[in-house]
DNA sequence: ATATCTGCAAAGACTTTGCATGAGA
DNA sequence: TCTCATGCAAAGTCTTTGCAGATAT
């Protein structure tokens, strides 16, 4: 994680300030952790990662920051059925790859996949438009998850 | 809810016994509640509904039974982001209509929709087959949810 | 200067577990 | 009869809240 001096030059700076939120070390650190991983981190995972660099930052701040980030649309919150929420950056400096999840019901393993996105896009754009019109919803995002048993758990 | 005498003649009887589970009044009652509603009931909702007919049945039994039902694939468990799980019968006597959910991020309202199922089927069957092959997953089901702001919450 | 933000401790909400009793097959 | 299921109470997890001190702008 880079030092405090860079504050104000991050990709999310404008967006953050635009919402009236202040740029703080905890927030910077949390976004930094999220932007450096491909995993599906829980609040505690993030806390532990942040803690290594800034041991004074508490779990409460993690939760409060994540709430803001989710509400701003900067971060997606997922539930894979294991009782804790998981978080992922929605976009990034370079823009994260659009993907969905494949979850093993036995061991909880989560695989990201980016296949079939073209087919999906076609289906989704039609569905989103139709649903928005029919139910007068302002649709912001969608979640697609496949559940099943992974190869490891099958040989059990 | 019909009386005890009918035990053994319900549509889920064979399936239940086949897994080595006993037919009991609580289980019968929970399935009865689930089969009579179109809503997305939480464990407590189910408890309250069951409680009206059988006041002695406890919340613990609701949770334990739901766990079995989900694991058997008779019931689907959803998370709409409000901190409590929601349950829905996967199939029924007449077979429930395949549908997905449209969730309002503001008020939590959930709308079931059955539109675009044809498009979806086409996309999903291709995706499922491809994913199953590529990741060696035995896919059991999928979840598709659209999130957004409902008409009521937009005029706020 | 002052409205926000943070950390700690405590509370809250949902869900799970232990154990003795009760019930299905 | 004998295993499985239930209810109660207690415990467990994850998450949220209250408040005084610290911080960004």
């Amino acid at each position: 994680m880079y030092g405090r001096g860079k504050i104000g030059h991050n990709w999310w700076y404008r967006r953050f300030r635009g919402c009236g939120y202040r740029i703080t070390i905890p927030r910077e650190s949390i976004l930094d952790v999220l932007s450096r991983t491909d995993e599906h981190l829980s609040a505690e995972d993030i806390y532990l990662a942040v803690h290594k660099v800034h041991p004074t930052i508490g779990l409460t701040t993690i939760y409060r920051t994540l709430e803001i980030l989710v509400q701003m649309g900067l971060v997606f919150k997922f539930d894979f059925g294991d009782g804790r929420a998981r978080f992922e950056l929605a976009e990034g400096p370079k823009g994260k790859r659009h993907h969905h999840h494949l979850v093993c019901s036995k061991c909880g393993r989560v695989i990201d996949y980016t296949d079939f996105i073209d087919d999906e896009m076609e289906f989704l754009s039609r569905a989103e438009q139709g649903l928005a019109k029919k139910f007068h919803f302002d649709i912001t995002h969608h979640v697609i998850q496949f559940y099943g048993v992974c190869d490891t758990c099958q040989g059990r």
Side-chain angles (χ1 to χ4, degrees), chain A:
Chain A
M1 142 112 204
Y2 34 82
R4 199 73 217 301
K6 288 231 176 163
I7 273 200
H9 300 90
N10 293 299
W11 59 273
W12 43 270
Y13 169 76
R14 294 170 78 42
R15 182 96 182 261
F16 227 72
R17 297 296 315 284
C19 293
Y21 294 118
R22 291 179 175 170
I23 315 293
T24 66
I25 293 178
R27 288 171 181 178
E28 210 178 20
S29 185
I30 290 166
L31 278 161
D32 187 59
V33 165
L34 285 170
S35 69
R36 288 172 188 276
T37 186
D38 284 326
E39 315 225 5
H40 316 90
L41 304 180
S42 66
E44 186 168 9
D45 291 336
I46 296 169
Y47 167 73
L48 292 172
V50 165
H51 189 83
K52 283 183 191 163
V53 184
H54 301 287
T56 60
I57 296 176
L59 184 54
T60 302
T61 299
I62 308 293
Y63 276 109
R64 277 195 281 232
T65 301
L66 286 172
E67 185 182 2
I68 288 173
L69 295 173
V70 167
Q71 176 260 319
M72 284 174 70
L74 247 48
V75 164
F76 289 135
K77 181 179 184 178
F78 293 98
D79 169 83
F80 297 137
D82 65 346
R84 73 196 61 193
R86 305 286 177 159
F87 301 88
E88 251 181 66
L89 219 50
E91 41 186 310
K94 341 154 195 183
K96 251 194 177 173
R97 189 81 174 282
H98 184 72
H99 67 273
H100 289 300
H101 301 119
L102 190 51
V103 184
C104 177
S105 306
K106 298 264 184 194
C107 67
R109 184 153 68 108
V110 178
I111 294 176
D112 290 5
Y113 70 88
T114 52
D115 310 76
F116 318 104
I117 296 300
D118 290 341
D119 280 358
E120 182 199 304
M121 283 302 185
E122 196 187 317
F123 154 62
L124 283 178
S125 63
R126 230 180 307 176
E128 279 200 23
Q129 279 181 41
L131 292 173
K133 191 166 184 181
K134 177 165 183 180
F135 300 107
H136 304 286
F137 250 69
D138 182 12
I139 296 179
T140 54
H141 63 287
H142 60 262
V143 169
I144 298 183
Q145 284 170 193
F146 286 93
Y147 288 86
V149 183
C150 75
D151 51 358
T152 309
C153 291
Q154 280 173 51
R156 179 208 65 127

